[in-house]
Amino acid sequence: MVRTPDPTRQRDAERSDAQLDMLHSFAAKLNVLTDTAEIANTITAELRTIVDYHNCRVYLLQDEDRLMPIAFRGEMTTEYFEEDLDTLITEIGEGITGTVAATREALLTPDAREVPFGVTIPGTEDDLLESMLAVPMIAGDTLVGVIVLSSLGYGMFDEEDQRMLEVLAPHAAAAFHSASLLEAERDAARAAGALLQLSQSLTGRRTVAEIFRDAIESMETIIRCAATAAYVRDETGSFRVIQLHACGGRTVRPRADIADVPSTVAEAFLESASPFVIPQALAAQVPDEARIMDGFGDVLVCPLQWEPGEIGALIAVGDPEGEPFDESAVRLARGIGDLTALALGNARRIGELERFHRLVESLDAVFWEADADGLRVTFLGGRVPELYGDEASAWIDRPWGEHITDADRSLAVAEVRRAIADGSDANVEYRVGAPGGQGRWLRDLVTVVHGSQGPRQIRGLTVDVTERRHAEQTLRESERKYSEAFLREREAAERLRALDEMKNTFLEAVSHDLRTPLTSILGSALTLEQSRLQMPSSDALDLVHRVAANARKLERLLGDLLDLDRLQRGIVSPQRRPTDIGALIERVLAEVENPDDRAIDVEVGLLTANVDGPKVERIVENLVANALRHTPPEAHVLVWAHAVDGGIEIGVDDAGPGVPVEVRESIFEPFEQRPGPTSGHSPGVGIGLSLVRRFAELHDGRAWVQPRDGGGSSFRVFLPNT
C-alpha cells in the first residue's frame, strides 16, 4: 500500500532543517562581529529567512532599568513603522517586552490584546490583531536584552519558533556581551592613547602655564565636556584661573572677567584628593562673577597637589544638554590629574620623570582569550610586553595562570574555574613577576563565553592595579600611624592636664602649709622683738617653743618634698640594718604632732627587722599623721606591727569614716588628698601617703589601705626581711 506524504509534516521538517542551518550560520556570523548595531541587524536579517514576521525588534538593557531598541525591521505601513526608535524605549516591567526582561522567561501569545500587561505602542491601532513572541537574551546571570517578533493575525508563531528563538538568544547575548567588552577595550585604548600623548607632551614642558594648557586641552579629547579650566592657589590663598579652554566651538568668558574663588570656599571642596562631580543644581549656585561660561551642566573637579603648599585643580564643565559625568569620566580625570601633578613636580625635579612614565604605562591593558576546558591561552592583545614582558609571547597554547606568582596562582585559577562552572563573571587580582624583577598587582575582568553545549571560552581584560594596591597599603599605614599619634597626643594631653591639676593642688597646699608655720614663727618673733625680752620668762619660753615647733613643721615639709624628688629620680637606696621596730615606733609617737593630745594605742612585741630605720620612721610618722589629720578627735587610733611570712607588717588603724573604694589607690599618688578632712586640721600637701608607698617599694615591699573591722580604715605596709 502506498502511503501519501503528509504536506504539513513535510513543511515542518523542512522548516526545522532551515532553522538548524540558520542557527549554525548565525553562530558563525556572530563570532566575527564586534559592533552591537551590526549584531542586532544580523539577528533581524537572519530571522527573516526562516520566520514570517511583520516586524522584529532587538532591545539591549541600559542603565539597569531601561530597554533601548537598537534594531528594527518591519513591513507595517503604519505610523509605528515610521516613528523614531526612541519611541520604543521600554522600562523594565513595562508591557510584554519589559515583563519578559523582568521575569527572564519567554512569552508566546497568539493575540497580544489578550495579554493583561500588554501596552499599545503609540501610533498603532488599539484593536490590531497581532501575534507576538518575545525571548530574553541572557549571558551567564546577566540580562543583556530582549528579541521581540510580531506578526499580523492570530497564532502566527508556534512553539517550534519559540524553541528556535530560545536557542538563538544565548548566542546573541554572548555576542552583545563580548562586543561591549571590546567596545570598552577600544574606549580604554583611545583614552590610553590620549593619555600617552598627554604624557609625551607634558614631558617636555617646564613651566606651570604650559603644563596646565596641555592638560586642559587634552581633557576635551578624553572627557566629553563644554569647557575646561585650571585653577591655582595664589599667595593670598584664593584660587584663580590660570588657563581656560572652550570645547567644540563654545564660548567662555575672558579670563580677566572671572573672579577668584575664595580659599574658604575652594578648600572646602578640595579637602578630598580624589576627583568628584558637582551636580548641575549645586553648580548653578555659583555666583555669576565666578562662572567661566553661561549655561553649563555638571562640573567635574580634579584636585591637584604637586608640592607642599602647591595646590590647584582641573575643571571640566559639562554640556547642559549632555550626559552627566559618570564613573569612567572621574577615573579618567584622576589619570589626567595624576599626570598633570607629576609633570608639575617634574618641572622642578627632573628625577621624577621615570615615575611619570611608569604612571602612564600603568594605564595600559591587555585583552586575552582562553579555552574554557583547559584554560589554554588562544589570544593575547594590547600592551602585552609592557605589562608582562617580552616572554609573554610564548604563552599562546599554554594554560592561563602560569604567569602568576606561586603564592597567588592556585586561588586565581580556582576563581576562574568557579566562574566557568557557574557560568558567571569573575574579578581576579594577583601578583606577577615583571621585567626588571619588580612584582606587580594585576586585575583580570573575566567573562565566560557560552556555546550551545555550555561554556566554550573565557575572555579577560587585564589592568595594572599596582598603584592602587600601594595606595591602599599606604593609606592603611597612614591611618594606623595617625591613629597611634592621636592616641599618644591624647594621652599626653591627659597627663599634662593631670599635672596641671596636681600643680595647682600642690601650690595651694604647699602655700598653706608654708604660710601657716611661717606666720606663727613671724608672729612669735615679732612679739619677742617688740617686748625686748621684757616679759615673763614663761611667756617668752612658750613663744620660743612655738617658733621651734613651726620650724620643725617647715623642716618636715621641705624634707618630704626633697625625699619625693629624690625617690622619683631614683637616687635613694635603702641602708638596711637590724632595727628594733617597737623602739622605733615609740620614738615616732613621742615626736609626732598630736594637736588634740589624743591617746594612741600601740601593739608591738619584741620585733627586729633588717630595714632602713629612718625610712621606716618616716613611714610610721606619715601614717600616724594621716590618721590624726583625717579622723575626728574621738576616733580610736591603733599602731601595730608583727612578723609575717617573709617579713614584717606595720599598720595604723583608725575608727574614722573610712576611705572610699574609688580612691584607695589614688591617695597614694603625689598631691592626692582624702576628701573632706573631719578633724578640722589642715589637709596637708598630699605627699605623706605617697612617701609611705615609695619608701615601702624602696624596700621591695608595698603599701595599701583596706577597711577596718568595725569601721574605719587600716593602712598597712609590708617590708621584706632580707
Side-chain angles (χ1 to χ4, degrees):
M1 172 177 161
V2 178
R3 184 181 302 273
T4 303
D6 185 347
T8 302
R9 179 176 299 176
Q10 182 176 357
R11 285 195 303 272
D12 290 343
E14 291 175 353
R15 187 175 67 167
S16 296
D17 291 341
Q19 290 177 345
L20 184 61
D21 291 340
M22 187 279 290
L23 289 174
H24 285 297
S25 173
F26 173 80
K29 289 182 179 180
L30 291 187
N31 280 337
V32 299
L33 300 179
T34 60
D35 181 77
T36 55
E38 188 177 3
I39 294 171
N41 288 327
T42 300
I43 293 172
T44 61
E46 291 293 322
L47 286 175
R48 169 65 85 186
T49 62
I50 57 170
V51 179
D52 186 16
Y53 64 75
H54 276 80
N55 59 71
C56 174
R57 302 183 297 279
V58 179
Y59 292 85
L60 288 185
L61 180 65
Q62 291 187 4
D63 301 330
E64 298 184 355
D65 57 1
R66 291 197 306 171
L67 293 166
M68 304 293 292
I70 63 167
F72 175 87
R73 185 183 294 267
E75 297 177 353
M76 295 179 64
T77 57
T78 65
E79 296 179 5
Y80 169 52
F81 174 67
E82 297 173 355
E83 279 291 331
D84 188 270
L85 291 181
D86 289 342
T87 61
L88 302 180
I89 296 175
T90 302
E91 301 290 332
I92 294 293
E94 176 187 8
I96 292 176
T97 304
T99 301
V100 168
T103 61
R104 300 192 177 192
E105 295 181 357
L107 185 144
L108 172 64
T109 176
D111 187 351
R113 296 174 302 179
E114 298 176 354
V115 178
F117 48 79
V119 176
T120 301
I121 297 176
T124 62
E125 299 177 6
D126 294 342
D127 59 349
L128 183 67
L129 176 59
E130 188 177 29
S131 304
M132 290 189 68
L133 171 59
V135 175
M137 295 183 290
I138 301 174
D141 293 333
T142 303
L143 175 70
V144 176
V146 179
I147 301 175
V148 182
L149 298 180
S150 301
S151 185
L152 295 177
Y154 184 86
M156 302 305 293
F157 304 116
D158 56 20
E159 293 181 355
E160 185 69 25
D161 295 324
Q162 179 178 340
R163 284 193 294 272
M164 181 274 301
L165 203 57
E166 287 176 338
V167 173
L168 180 148
H171 292 282
F176 282 124
H177 198 51
S178 299
S180 64
L181 286 178
L182 290 171
E183 180 62 27
E185 182 188 10
R186 287 193 292 268
D187 290 342
R190 286 192 296 268
L195 288 169
L196 180 60
Q197 184 178 0
L198 173 61
S199 72
Q200 294 170 343
S201 171
L202 294 179
T203 300
R205 302 305 183 190
R206 291 293 179 267
T207 68
V208 172
E210 290 176 341
I211 292 172
F212 275 126
R213 183 194 63 205
D214 287 359
I216 64 173
E217 289 180 356
S218 296
M219 289 183 75
E220 177 186 9
T221 64
I222 300 172
I223 302 172
R224 292 182 180 178
C225 52
T228 57
Y231 283 80
V232 173
R233 185 172 64 179
D234 60 20
E235 61 279 0
T236 67
S238 299
F239 286 76
R240 59 184 175 83
V241 178
I242 189 175
Q243 291 288 344
L244 192 60
H245 176 68
C247 306
R250 295 176 176 85
T251 302
V252 295
R253 298 175 60 191
R255 186 151 54 94
D257 294 343
I258 302 174
D260 294 346
V261 180
S263 59
T264 54
V265 176
E267 290 177 357
F269 284 101
L270 299 180
E271 287 180 354
S272 171
S274 300
F276 59 91
V277 177
I278 302 176
Q280 183 179 15
L282 181 59
Q285 301 177 20
V286 174
D288 292 341
E289 62 272 14
R291 299 184 181 185
I292 65 175
M293 66 184 305
D294 297 327
F296 51 85
D298 295 350
V299 176
L300 174 57
V301 181
C302 179
L304 298 176
Q305 182 171 354
W306 57 96
E307 287 288 337
E310 298 288 344
I311 301 176
L314 298 178
I315 308 294
V317 179
D319 191 324
E321 304 300 328
E323 293 292 327
F325 295 116
D326 55 14
E327 292 184 2
S328 175
V330 174
R331 288 195 298 270
L332 290 171
R334 179 181 291 109
I336 297 171
D338 288 342
L339 293 175
T340 305
L342 283 175
L344 290 167
N346 184 56
R348 299 175 181 174
R349 304 184 313 274
I350 301 300
E352 293 289 330
L353 193 57
E354 181 180 358
R355 179 187 172 196
F356 180 67
H357 283 299
R358 285 203 302 269
L359 178 59
V360 174
E361 293 171 356
S362 71
L363 298 172
D364 296 332
V366 170
F367 179 75
W368 56 269
E369 293 181 349
D371 181 78
D373 293 331
L375 300 186
R376 181 177 58 87
V377 178
T378 58
F379 174 79
L380 276 174
R383 310 293 289 186
V384 177
E386 290 83 351
L387 215 57
Y388 294 125
D390 295 334
E391 69 277 7
S393 58
W395 292 357
I396 300 296
D397 293 332
R398 290 167 55 184
W400 180 89
E402 290 187 357
H403 61 298
I404 303 175
T405 57
D406 295 340
D408 300 339
R409 183 182 302 126
S410 59
L411 289 176
V413 172
E415 182 65 16
V416 172
R417 290 196 178 279
R418 183 202 60 76
I420 295 173
D422 296 344
S424 60
D425 298 341
N427 292 332
V428 186
E429 290 193 7
Y430 53 82
R431 288 165 289 186
V432 299
Q438 297 178 350
R440 289 184 178 181
W441 278 96
L442 302 181
R443 183 184 186 189
D444 273 11
L445 310 177
V446 182
T447 298
V448 181
V449 180
H450 292 269
S452 58
Q453 303 300 321
R456 62 178 180 82
Q457 191 180 54
I458 55 174
R459 292 174 180 169
L461 188 68
T462 306
V463 294
D464 191 333
V465 294
T466 305
E467 291 290 334
R468 193 207 75 199
R469 280 279 189 165
H470 289 172
E472 290 174 350
Q473 181 179 358
T474 302
L475 179 60
R476 287 193 296 270
E477 293 175 354
S478 176
E479 289 176 345
R480 177 182 55 80
K481 179 180 69 175
Y482 286 117
S483 176
E484 293 174 353
F486 172 75
L487 290 175
R488 289 195 299 270
E489 182 179 349
R490 186 171 63 181
E491 291 172 356
E494 291 175 352
R495 287 196 298 270
L496 288 173
R497 189 181 302 108
L499 287 173
D500 186 61
E501 293 175 356
M502 187 183 301
K503 177 204 68 176
N504 293 335
T505 304
F506 166 73
L507 290 176
E508 180 181 352
V510 169
S511 63
H512 181 276
D513 273 32
L514 287 174
R515 186 182 300 111
T516 301
L518 280 174
T519 301
S520 179
I521 291 172
L522 183 60
S524 299
L526 288 173
T527 301
L528 289 171
E529 180 183 36
Q530 292 171 357
S531 68
R532 299 181 182 273
L533 300 179
Q534 301 298 317
M535 65 171 58
S537 60
S538 59
D539 293 341
L541 185 60
D542 179 64
L543 291 174
V544 171
H545 284 323
R546 293 190 183 196
V547 170
N550 283 285
R552 283 194 294 271
K553 285 184 180 180
L554 289 176
E555 181 185 28
R556 188 162 51 249
L557 173 60
L558 294 175
D560 285 348
L561 293 173
L562 291 173
D563 285 341
L564 180 62
D565 178 64
R566 286 193 291 267
L567 287 167
Q568 288 179 333
R569 289 188 288 156
I571 60 176
V572 180
S573 59
Q575 306 297 320
R576 293 178 181 270
R577 294 182 181 84
T579 304
D580 184 341
I581 301 301
L584 181 149
I585 292 176
E586 290 294 340
R587 286 196 305 273
V588 172
L589 294 180
E591 298 178 1
V592 73
E593 181 184 1
N594 189 356
D596 300 315
D597 198 23
R598 77 175 74 179
I600 302 175
D601 296 333
V602 180
E603 293 182 1
V604 182
L606 295 175
L607 181 62
T608 300
N610 189 30
V611 297
D612 186 327
K615 303 297 187 298
V616 176
E617 286 184 5
R618 300 292 298 282
I619 289 175
V620 176
E621 178 186 1
N622 284 319
L623 288 179
V624 172
N626 179 73
L628 295 176
R629 182 182 295 114
H630 293 285
T631 58
E634 67 274 9
H636 181 73
V637 176
L638 170 67
V639 181
W640 55 266
H642 55 76
V644 296
D645 186 21
I648 64 170
E649 193 170 298
I650 301 173
V652 175
D653 297 354
D654 64 66
V659 180
V661 175
E662 62 271 14
V663 298
R664 287 178 186 171
E665 281 297 317
S666 64
I667 60 175
F668 289 98
E669 296 298 325
F671 313 118
E672 290 287 340
Q673 301 169 345
R674 292 172 62 180
T678 58
S679 64
H681 299 150
S682 166
V685 181
I687 60 176
L689 292 179
S690 175
L691 287 174
V692 169
R693 172 164 285 183
R694 300 294 178 92
F695 284 142
E697 292 174 347
L698 193 65
H699 285 78
D700 295 326
R702 65 189 185 94
W704 72 98
V705 61
Q706 65 186 47
R708 172 181 170 273
D709 293 340
S713 302
S714 179
F715 285 82
R716 301 187 178 191
V717 174
F718 168 73
L719 302 176
N721 192 9
T722 57

